[in-house]
Amino acid sequence: IQNKKPFTLVLTLDEPHRKILLGMKKRGFGMNKYNGFGGKLEPTETVEEAAHRELWEESTISARNMKKVGLNLFSFENNPVAMEVHVYVVTEYDGTPTETEEMRPEWFSYDDIPYDDMWTDDRQWIPIMLKNKKFIGEFYFAEDQKRIISQVLEEVDVV
Ligand code: 6U4
Ligand code: NA
Ligand code: NA
């Protein structure tokens, strides 16, 4: 990998009810998959600022807290640019999740997460996150963006 580009990904949890807020992505990269909310950084913002902004832009909720829980590096066969995705958990927020141009929000029970309609890596690190553990992952995807050719995933104390 010659180069990596930072991204954010925010998972909002309703811990008392064991529910997770995902969005069906309506356009662009990862279209037709459920995922957390997030995206690229704007030139002057910090990673955490970008996480707040993307959550707001894509679901219309405002995070009251934001905890960094993971870091995933995604790279693809025949692509020199990897994605460095900073993963955050939100447990308190203002507003009501609302459909936007990019995402259609939907709550899922922790026991009923639609992994078949998500990125292949998600079923590996989301369970770690839901146990309140932190993680660092590296996933190398085939060109089809589905098959994982190699990976490293570990729980860590500090991310
Ligand atoms: P535009 O369309 O320019 O507004 P933007 O919202 O800035 O895009 P986007 O949505 O393309 O960026 O960012 C990709 C999103 O997908 C980020 O939240 C990271 C996430 N993502 C990428 N690969 C992923 C993967 N393998 N597993 C995963 N999330 C991934 O769970
Ligand atoms: Na996005
Ligand atoms: Na966006």
Side-chain angles (χ1 to χ4, degrees):
I1 294 155
Q2 279 103 44
N3 207 347
K4 61 187 180 187
K5 185 172 166 180
F7 288 82
T8 60
L9 184 65
V10 180
L11 287 308
T12 302
L13 304 181
D14 175 350
E15 290 183 311
H17 299 102
R18 294 173 46 84
K19 290 194 170 188
I20 182 168
L21 181 68
L22 300 172
M24 170 48 71
K25 199 157 193 291
K26 295 161 63 180
R27 65 169 202 211
F29 191 72
M31 183 171 157
N32 293 332
K33 288 183 174 71
Y34 284 106
N35 205 347
F37 302 89
K40 305 170 190 80
L41 273 64
E42 284 182 356
T44 61
E45 67 189 353
T46 64
V47 183
E48 194 169 314
E49 284 166 352
H52 276 270
R53 176 185 51 74
E54 290 280 351
L55 180 65
W56 159 252
E57 286 179 1
E58 298 183 356
S59 77
T60 80
I61 64 175
S62 285
R64 286 196 192 180
N65 60 10
M66 181 77 67
K67 183 169 95 179
K68 176 112 179 249
V69 298
L71 187 66
N72 281 329
L73 189 72
F74 300 117
S75 55
F76 298 90
E77 223 175 2
N78 298 319
N79 186 335
V81 186
M83 309 176 75
E84 184 186 57
V85 180
H86 299 256
V87 184
Y88 291 86
V89 162
V90 167
T91 57
E92 292 185 47
Y93 61 90
D94 293 311
T96 305
T98 304
E99 182 168 353
T100 60
E101 253 180 53
E102 184 163 333
M103 289 290 225
R104 186 170 64 250
E106 194 175 330
W107 289 100
F108 292 91
S109 158
Y110 288 1
D111 301 320
D112 202 18
I113 295 176
Y115 289 120
D116 289 345
D117 298 320
M118 299 172 74
W119 283 100
T120 319
D121 49 282
D122 291 6
R123 67 174 76 238
Q124 305 196 42
W125 57 265
I126 287 181
I128 299 176
M129 182 189 82
L130 294 178
K131 285 188 302 180
N132 263 313
K133 299 276 172 58
K134 299 184 172 121
F135 61 91
I136 294 182
E138 280 188 38
F139 297 88
Y140 178 51
F141 280 87
E143 243 179 332
D144 66 7
Q145 300 185 352
K146 284 200 181 96
R147 190 169 59 88
I148 295 170
I149 296 169
S150 66
Q151 70 168 69
V152 184
L153 178 63
E154 57 179 346
E155 294 186 12
V156 295
D157 291 327
V158 180
V159 64

